[in-house]
Amino acid sequence: MTAVAAGLAACSLTFNWREVPIGDAGLVALLPCKPDRASRALPLGTQSVNIEMAGCEAGGATFAVAHAHAADAAQAAAWLGAWQAATRTQLVGATFTEAAATLPRAALTPAAVRLDARRGGAEERPAAQILWFAQLRAGGVSVYQATVLGAPDRAEATSVFFDGLRLP
């Protein structure tokens, strides 16, 4: 994977891929630029949850990974469900394709989900591509949302981003 990113970086000044640690649970993301970091409270169901984010803009798209820590698998599943619903609400007018996803070492419950949102016909490039997943950890569950907003100049950038997510 790192070789693919290095090859893409060598061909493009727009995408300068780098490994970025996300949260304190060990996830490493491959981002196409130096990320900005922020945290904010996000209403997930009946709770306000502190979400930590790292993201940047490159090649006409925004690449970001958000992280939160849940107490257990039931809380993680509820949060991810609320996160998915909130995201759909923000993408008014889009059509959605949702599918089960896999990520090495991700929890089976709650299961990983991939959502592609398109504005326009099926031939249009996605307006947003989102992956939600979790990982069981000692003392709780780490939940994540990895997002590409917009259509990057290089179509393979989205694959490099999602394939570059690595859980310990």
Side-chain angles (χ1 to χ4, degrees):
M1 174 45 36
T2 304
V4 172
L8 286 175
C11 298
S12 171
L13 297 176
T14 304
F15 296 99
N16 183 7
W17 296 97
R18 65 206 56 224
E19 293 183 343
V20 177
I22 306 295
D24 59 1
L27 175 72
V28 174
L30 199 57
L31 290 172
C33 40
K34 183 178 179 183
D36 293 320
R37 293 187 182 264
S39 64
R40 68 179 179 122
L42 182 67
L44 294 179
T46 60
Q47 295 181 294
S48 180
V49 179
N50 186 48
I51 305 290
E52 298 174 2
M53 297 165 275
C56 60
E57 187 175 336
T62 300
F63 298 80
V65 181
H67 166 259
H69 185 77
D72 55 36
Q75 185 179 56
W79 286 1
L80 288 175
W83 212 342
Q84 291 165 17
T87 301
R88 285 176 179 268
T89 299
Q90 292 172 349
L91 297 168
V92 175
T95 57
F96 301 103
T97 303
E98 185 175 311
T102 59
L103 185 70
R105 292 183 279 294
L108 296 177
T109 304
V113 175
R114 172 80 182 258
L115 181 76
D116 289 352
R118 297 180 186 278
R119 298 187 194 286
E123 68 284 349
E124 293 292 319
R125 292 174 65 189
Q129 296 174 74
I130 304 146
L131 173 65
W132 290 278
F133 59 98
Q135 185 181 36
L136 302 174
R137 305 291 295 168
V141 180
S142 291
V143 293
Y144 300 94
Q145 175 184 286
T147 306
V148 177
L149 291 175
D153 296 343
R154 298 180 67 114
E156 69 273 9
T158 300
S159 296
V160 172
F161 171 69
F162 286 117
D163 291 345
L165 296 167
R166 292 191 332 268
L167 290 165

